[in-house]
Amino acid sequence: MKALGQHVIAELYECDPEMINNHELVETIMLEAADVSGATVVNSTFHQFNPYGVSGCVVISESHFTIHTWPEYGYAAIDVFTCGDLIDNNKALLYMKEKFAAKSISVVEMKRGLLNLPVEQIRVKPVGA
């Protein structure tokens, strides 16, 4: 069965706390990761929490990249959900791991939208979209 999308759940450990608590830097790195993966960015929104932490979403034509950070633990939770076969999620994850100075990463991947249809009937986007 062909899936509509792929959902990657990544956990970055022992990140640089100052980096993952910097709203502008986190947004820049997430936008760059989307670009590195080959995704088409539509929009982004990020929020700085008080006293620390950042959450944000990069909406891409192919779905989204999200992040939630806990600088006090050096931890970042990242979701990359993409549709189609053109986006390189691994490139994006390696880029984020490097840029957030994470010492380790844990990744779980799952297929989304497993439909019981012939492969030729499954389209990632509606015709004309």
Side-chain angles (χ1 to χ4, degrees), residues 27-88:
E27 184 169 10
T28 297
I29 290 170
M30 293 297 287
L31 288 166
E32 290 171 350
D35 187 54
V36 163
S37 76
T40 304
V41 173
V42 174
N43 202 349
S44 66
T45 185
F46 284 76
H47 177 76
Q48 178 76 53
F49 290 98
N50 185 15
Y52 32 69
V54 175
S55 288
C57 178
V58 175
V59 177
I60 58 175
S61 292
E62 302 82 5
S63 199
H64 67 266
F65 284 48
T66 62
I67 187 168
H68 306 283
T69 72
W70 285 262
E72 68 273 32
Y73 302 116
Y75 172 76
I78 296 170
D79 283 21
V80 176
F81 183 25
T82 57
C83 299
D85 301 325
L86 302 177
I87 308 307
D88 191 333

Side-chain angles (χ1 to χ4, degrees), residues 98-112:
E98 177 188 335
K99 294 297 181 178
F100 291 128
K103 292 198 170 113
S104 66
I105 186 172
S106 172
V107 177
V108 174
E109 298 180 48
M110 66 183 287
K111 300 295 183 194
R112 301 291 302 267

